[in-house]
mmCIF file of all heavy atoms in Angstrom:
data_model
loop_
_atom_site.group_PDB
_atom_site.id
_atom_site.type_symbol
_atom_site.label_atom_id
_atom_site.label_comp_id
_atom_site.label_asym_id
_atom_site.label_seq_id
_atom_site.Cartn_x
_atom_site.Cartn_y
_atom_site.Cartn_z
ATOM 1 N N ASP B 213 -7.946 20.318 -10.576
ATOM 2 C CA ASP B 213 -7.280 19.507 -9.589
ATOM 3 C C ASP B 213 -5.786 19.332 -9.837
ATOM 4 O O ASP B 213 -5.475 18.699 -10.801
ATOM 5 C CB ASP B 213 -7.994 18.282 -9.349
ATOM 6 C CG ASP B 213 -7.396 17.243 -8.405
ATOM 7 O OD1 ASP B 213 -6.327 17.607 -7.836
ATOM 8 O OD2 ASP B 213 -7.969 16.166 -8.171
ATOM 9 N N ALA B 242 14.722 -6.893 -32.992
ATOM 10 C CA ALA B 242 14.081 -7.701 -33.931
ATOM 11 C C ALA B 242 14.943 -7.833 -35.226
ATOM 12 O O ALA B 242 15.017 -8.999 -35.757
ATOM 13 C CB ALA B 242 12.765 -7.050 -34.389
ATOM 14 N N SER B 296 25.393 10.598 -6.610
ATOM 15 C CA SER B 296 26.206 10.737 -5.394
ATOM 16 C C SER B 296 25.777 9.682 -4.429
ATOM 17 O O SER B 296 24.588 9.243 -4.410
ATOM 18 C CB SER B 296 26.003 12.047 -4.800
ATOM 19 O OG SER B 296 24.737 12.240 -4.356
ATOM 20 N N GLU B 297 26.784 9.121 -3.714
ATOM 21 C CA GLU B 297 26.575 8.023 -2.780
ATOM 22 C C GLU B 297 25.346 8.246 -1.867
ATOM 23 O O GLU B 297 25.274 9.330 -1.289
ATOM 24 C CB GLU B 297 27.878 7.991 -1.881
ATOM 25 C CG GLU B 297 27.987 6.900 -0.884
ATOM 26 C CD GLU B 297 28.303 5.608 -1.465
ATOM 27 O OE1 GLU B 297 29.133 5.562 -2.536
ATOM 28 O OE2 GLU B 297 27.817 4.508 -1.027
ATOM 29 N N ALA B 348 21.416 -1.062 -53.962
ATOM 30 C CA ALA B 348 21.041 -0.251 -52.904
ATOM 31 C C ALA B 348 21.848 -0.596 -51.664
ATOM 32 O O ALA B 348 22.228 -1.706 -51.373
ATOM 33 C CB ALA B 348 19.495 -0.623 -52.493
ATOM 34 N N SER B 423 -12.152 7.953 -14.424
ATOM 35 C CA SER B 423 -12.120 6.757 -15.279
ATOM 36 C C SER B 423 -12.588 7.131 -16.646
ATOM 37 O O SER B 423 -11.946 6.524 -17.662
ATOM 38 C CB SER B 423 -13.033 5.684 -14.689
ATOM 39 O OG SER B 423 -12.755 5.441 -13.310
#
Side-chain angles (χ1 to χ4, degrees):
Chain B
D213 176 353
S296 66
E297 183 79 32
S423 305

